Amino acid sequence: MIKARVTVTLKNGVLDPQGKAIEGALGALGFGGIGQIRQGKVFDLEIETADRAQAEAEVKSMCEKLLANTVIENYTIALA
């Protein structure tokens, strides 16, 4: 069993209204000096294989087909 973590974030230049809302809310709560907040998503997966290359290929395929919108999002894969 191999564990994988996929982190998906918006590409630079893509408007992030949720990040802007979080930035404003943190300022309203008294947290100063915070800027350029970008929000994203994290997926933790367990792949039933011992082959790390196969696991990484499967997770990459999942990202390309479903987990990330590759037009506006980047993703990274970390295997454990």
Side-chain angles (χ1 to χ4, degrees), residues 1-73:
M1 178 89 52
I2 294 178
K3 293 184 179 184
R5 173 166 280 184
V6 176
T7 304
V8 180
T9 56
L10 289 170
K11 291 182 177 181
N12 289 333
V14 175
L15 186 63
D16 185 357
Q18 188 173 1
K20 275 298 205 194
I22 293 167
E23 184 179 327
L26 287 173
L29 290 171
F31 296 100
I34 306 292
Q36 287 298 334
I37 294 178
R38 307 282 289 174
Q39 65 87 32
K41 355 177 218 194
V42 174
F43 300 94
D44 289 322
L45 308 153
E46 291 183 352
I47 315 302
E48 292 190 22
T49 184
D51 184 341
R52 291 179 67 79
Q54 178 186 356
E56 186 169 10
E58 285 184 23
V59 173
K60 182 176 179 185
S61 182
M62 291 175 200
C63 291
E64 297 288 330
K65 292 180 180 179
L66 177 67
L67 300 180
N69 177 348
T70 57
V71 173
I72 62 169
E73 294 175 319

